[in-house]
Structures are given as structure tokens and as C-alpha cells.
Amino acid sequence: MRAGADVERSPAMTRKSLVVLGLFGLVAWGEFVHWRASRAQSHACLPARSEAVVVLGFRNTRGGRANALNRWRVRAALRSIDPTLADSILICSGASGAASESEAALLARYAVAERGYTGTVQLEERSRSTWQNVENVIPLIEHVDQIKIVSNPLHAQKARLYLHHQRPDLAERLVRAADYRLGEAWPVKPLFALYGLRDMIRSKRGLAQKRRRQDVANPSK
């Protein structure tokens, strides 16, 4: 009787084990994708005396306070600041969407009023896309020795890719930010990884099309 019960229980236990292993594998894959993205197209470190930490805003549907994702991005930006440098500047980038204030203003307010940041802050309040985020912060980062772009790791990788395309000289100053931590927000990392990888493919295709159009417009180059 006991042997029969064990036989009946065995398939159920096997299915449960497979589900657990599958979930573990999915979480591990999400962690790996984010870890790899956080290191892509940037230096581990550079000799520097000054830096710009650029935090990219996410659309905020309610005015008055940064939403949960924007608050996380600010915290990641603040922990990315190197306290040993003589000069660090926090740049908050993003235009207003559905909220009455710009994403940049909400990010800055959270950094200063709620996280106690007392350093230099600059706002870039015109951007409505990642391409514009990068394009519009260029005048604010040209003078620094190293640049950190902070967002969800795959989104930040996309922004670094755009900087490589727009200003390769400035892209040489890109340094890793602290926007990846093992186990942080692990339940949503697989979803963010799927979306981010798909978005990265589209972005690379878009850049390839831009290059082809430039080659057609300037055949002598």
C-alpha cells in the first residue's frame, strides 16, 4: 500500500520539481541579462576628477511625486556617484508627460527632498525619447572626465549605444553605474529582460537604417 502511494506521489513531485527549476532558471536568466547589460559599452573605471551621473526619467502619470520606477532610478543614480571625485553632477533628464511637472523635476525633487542629496543638480526637461535624452544632455556632459548613465540596465545600455552613435568621443568616457544589484527587484527582472532585449533589437535596426540613409546621402564619405 505504501509503495503504491509512493509511486502515485512521484509524478506529482517530479512536476513540482520541474516547475521550481523552471522558475529558478527564469530568475537566473533575468539576473544574467541585467548583469551583462549593466557592463555593456562602458569602462569599469577611468582616471577622473569629475563625473556626470545622468538619470533617465520614466513617464509619470501623476504629478507631485516621482513614481516607483523613477524613485528606484534616482536611488541607483545616487549610489552610482563616486564620493572620491572632486566634482560630481547629477543630471535628471525627461520632459513632462501626463504629469504637470517634468520627469526631470520630479526626479530631482525626490533626490533632494526625500533622499537628502546636497550636490549639484541640473535638469534637462525637453526629451520625450531615449534618443532625445542622450542628444539633449550632451552639452551638460562635455566637460566631465567620466559619464554614467542610470536607468534599468537594458535601457541604460540602449542610451549608451545612442551616445556611441551620436558622440563617439564622449562615449569613450562611459563608466559603469551601480544600476545592477544581485537579487534586487528579482521578480520583475525576467519581464524587463524580455522587453529590454526586444527594444534593443529594434534600436539596433533603427541605427542601421540611419547609417544606410547617411551613406546614401553622403556617398563620398
Side-chain angles (χ1 to χ4, degrees):
M1 196 67 186
R2 183 181 181 85
D6 288 342
V7 170
E8 290 177 1
R9 194 182 305 127
S10 177
M13 291 178 65
T14 300
R15 286 194 296 270
K16 186 176 181 180
S17 299
L18 289 174
V19 169
V20 171
L21 286 173
L23 289 174
F24 177 81
L26 185 63
V27 170
W29 174 77
E31 289 285 351
F32 172 74
V33 170
H34 281 75
W35 173 84
R36 183 179 60 182
S38 71
R39 284 156 173 73
Q41 297 169 318
S42 61
H43 299 281
C45 61
L46 288 172
R49 289 182 53 81
S50 62
E51 71 175 0
V53 179
V54 181
V55 55
L56 307 180
F58 180 76
R59 61 182 176 273
N60 225 92
T61 56
R62 297 180 181 177
R65 190 171 189 246
N67 60 32
L69 185 54
N70 280 326
R71 294 196 300 272
W72 177 85
R73 290 183 182 183
V74 169
R75 293 193 297 272
L78 295 181
R79 72 191 185 209
S80 298
I81 294 172
D82 187 344
T84 67
L85 297 183
D87 182 28
S88 293
I89 179 172
L90 178 68
I91 300 174
C92 301
S93 177
S96 59
S100 57
E101 294 182 84
S102 69
E103 295 162 8
L106 294 172
L107 293 168
R109 180 183 300 157
Y110 178 69
V112 174
E114 299 191 48
R115 305 304 298 184
Y117 178 67
T118 58
T120 304
V121 183
Q122 289 194 9
L123 306 185
E124 184 289 297
E125 302 180 277
R126 296 179 295 142
S127 300
R128 296 184 178 275
S129 67
T130 306
W131 180 267
Q132 291 179 0
N133 284 134
V134 174
E135 187 174 49
N136 292 335
V137 301
I138 284 175
L140 305 178
I141 63 177
E142 288 181 305
H143 66 287
V144 300
D145 298 326
Q146 67 181 26
I147 302 160
K148 297 171 182 174
I149 298 179
V150 180
S151 183
N152 310 80
L154 285 129
H155 184 223
Q157 181 188 1
K158 174 181 172 179
R160 292 193 295 271
L161 176 67
Y162 285 170
L163 185 60
H164 275 276
H165 184 86
Q166 294 180 20
R167 285 290 300 270
D169 59 320
L170 293 182
E172 289 301 315
R173 305 179 202 173
L174 285 168
V175 174
R176 295 173 191 166
D179 51 8
Y180 171 78
R181 279 185 175 176
L182 179 64
E184 185 177 53
W186 64 266
V188 297
K189 278 181 177 173
L191 180 62
F192 280 8
L194 284 171
Y195 176 84
L197 290 172
R198 193 176 94 172
D199 189 46
M200 184 67 66
I201 291 171
R202 285 193 304 230
S203 299
K204 288 180 178 179
R205 285 176 180 167
L207 288 177
Q209 290 173 355
K210 282 178 182 289
R211 292 191 187 98
R212 285 196 292 269
R213 287 195 295 266
Q214 289 172 353
D215 290 343
V216 170
N218 304 284
S220 60
K221 290 187 178 181

